[in-house]
Amino acid sequence: MKKYLYTIFAMVCLSSSVVTAQDFSVNDDFGVDISVGAEKELFPDFEINVEGNLRTQDNSQRIERYLVGAELSYKFVNTKKFDMKVSGGFEYMWNQKMAETKLAKTPYPFFATDAQGDVIYDNSGQPVFDKNYCDYNVDERYWRNRHRTSLGLSASYSPNKRWSFQLKETVQYNHYCQEDSINQYEYRWDENDDGDKYLPAPGIDRKSVDPKDRFVLRSKFTVEYNVKGIPLNPFASIDYGCGLNYTANKWKYSVGADYTINKKHKLTLYYRFQTEDDDDEPNGHMLGLGYKIKL
């Protein structure tokens, strides 16, 4: 038993050190994730899973996404202590992209000045723009459809009735659909006859978002413990994703528990912190609740 406790302790320490190294920001978001799923064994060791999901963002004030998906899996190694499974799935999502502010490509030439009113120049002799008077654009929030195809391979090891360790490797193909007619508000500073700067009402332009395809490799390690005498299985996991055809690093740290109501019904409650350097999902904290029925 001690060696398993040492393993968990080492995992927690590793998770803590990695999380501590991340850039926690006061702007981290908080969302809620709610999912409902069903699974059915079609043949021995071959099953299908279907799921519906809703997730919030902007401190749970707005919907981040709706999702429906299905997965087929086959357990080609099935022993008392060691299992291996291959799986393939498809998900369709309706994602909401929040409003975004960006500096315009060609700022209006308002230059920074010193106390005497003289223009400030940088080391290369170019005038420095006054950041308080830069032109900028605001993209209105919009919905964008997306679908994802996954192929996974997982291995599970259960040394006894209490402990379970799982490693899953998944390759995901994501296709982001094109979206047209997104409102873009263009703010451009101007100057009146007295030389005072002012910001008139914005112009409105229409922009489109081109489709794109992204491949991601995800590695997820999970430790689960079965509490003796209680249908409760606490778990902890680390999930890392990296872009294969683009640059991205995604980390998800989760702790939670599965509660088995009976042989057919199960509830899952978890907390997750996630951080990534692309714009797929907002960084921050998430509280998740899931329900699954076995048909």
Side-chain angles (χ1 to χ4, degrees):
M1 177 61 68
K2 287 185 177 181
K3 62 180 180 180
Y4 303 127
L5 293 176
Y6 291 153
T7 302
I8 297 297
F9 180 74
M11 177 184 174
V12 171
C13 291
L14 177 61
S15 302
S16 300
S17 63
V18 176
V19 171
T20 302
Q22 304 299 322
D23 181 18
F24 287 87
S25 170
V26 294
N27 295 321
D28 284 343
D29 198 10
F30 173 77
V32 175
D33 185 281
I34 300 174
S35 62
V36 177
E39 63 179 30
K40 181 175 178 59
E41 187 176 54
L42 302 177
F43 307 102
D45 297 323
F46 185 82
E47 67 179 25
I48 182 172
N49 287 267
V50 294
E51 182 184 23
N53 174 265
L54 179 149
R55 184 177 294 177
T56 64
Q57 62 181 332
D58 192 20
N59 292 316
S60 293
Q61 298 181 78
R62 297 193 182 277
I63 299 296
E64 179 195 342
R65 77 179 190 188
Y66 300 101
L67 176 150
V68 292
E71 181 185 72
L72 292 171
S73 62
Y74 174 65
K75 189 179 293 185
F76 60 93
V77 176
N78 189 358
T79 67
K80 289 184 177 181
K81 292 188 175 183
F82 184 73
D83 300 330
M84 290 195 72
K85 181 189 296 185
V86 62
S87 59
F90 179 83
E91 297 169 315
Y92 197 90
M93 286 169 263
W94 296 263
N95 289 87
Q96 183 173 201
K97 178 71 173 176
M98 299 300 294
E100 187 175 10
T101 301
K102 298 179 180 178
L103 290 178
K105 292 183 179 179
T106 308
Y108 196 91
F110 288 134
F111 303 123
T113 57
D114 57 22
Q116 288 73 38
D118 297 325
V119 175
I120 300 174
Y121 294 88
D122 61 21
N123 293 333
S124 61
Q126 299 297 319
V128 176
F129 288 114
D130 188 336
K131 294 181 179 179
N132 295 319
Y133 296 103
C134 284
D135 296 344
Y136 62 95
N137 300 325
V138 177
D139 293 340
E140 192 174 49
R141 60 187 176 90
Y142 62 93
W143 289 88
R144 187 180 193 183
N145 297 349
R146 167 186 167 197
H147 59 78
R148 178 166 63 198
T149 305
S150 304
L151 182 62
L153 177 65
S154 61
S156 301
Y157 174 61
S158 302
N160 52 46
K161 294 181 179 180
R162 299 283 169 245
W163 293 96
S164 176
F165 305 87
Q166 184 188 77
L167 178 64
K168 184 174 183 179
E169 300 291 327
T170 308
V171 175
Q172 295 178 333
Y173 161 67
N174 296 272
H175 176 74
Y176 298 75
C177 301
Q178 179 177 346
E179 290 297 328
D180 297 316
S181 301
I182 299 169
N183 284 333
Q184 183 180 71
Y185 299 94
E186 300 178 343
Y187 293 85
R188 301 293 183 265
W189 286 89
D190 205 346
E191 191 173 279
N192 60 25
D193 295 337
D194 297 327
D196 296 325
K197 305 176 183 67
Y198 72 98
L199 190 65
I204 301 178
D205 194 9
R206 297 279 185 167
K207 62 173 290 187
S208 63
V209 179
D210 296 330
K212 62 182 178 181
D213 299 295
R214 287 183 169 179
F215 289 88
V216 179
L217 175 63
R218 293 180 60 178
S219 303
K220 184 177 182 180
F221 179 63
T222 305
V223 177
E224 185 174 319
Y225 178 75
N226 174 255
V227 180
K228 185 177 181 180
I230 305 176
L232 190 68
N233 286 38
F235 63 83
S237 68
I238 301 176
D239 188 335
Y240 171 69
C242 63
L244 298 179
N245 66 333
Y246 73 113
T247 301
N249 294 280
K250 309 180 179 185
W251 289 95
K252 298 180 180 180
Y253 311 91
S254 305
V255 291
D258 293 328
Y259 178 75
T260 304
I261 301 173
N262 53 42
K263 292 183 178 180
K264 291 188 175 182
H265 304 274
K266 182 173 70 175
L267 287 175
T268 301
L269 180 66
Y270 69 87
Y271 161 78
R272 174 183 297 160
F273 176 78
Q274 60 187 36
T275 177
E276 56 184 74
D277 53 12
D278 66 5
D279 58 357
D280 279 353
E281 299 174 359
N283 293 336
H285 313 272
M286 182 177 297
L287 185 64
L289 176 64
Y291 165 77
K292 179 168 284 189
I293 182 174
K294 182 176 292 186
L295 303 176

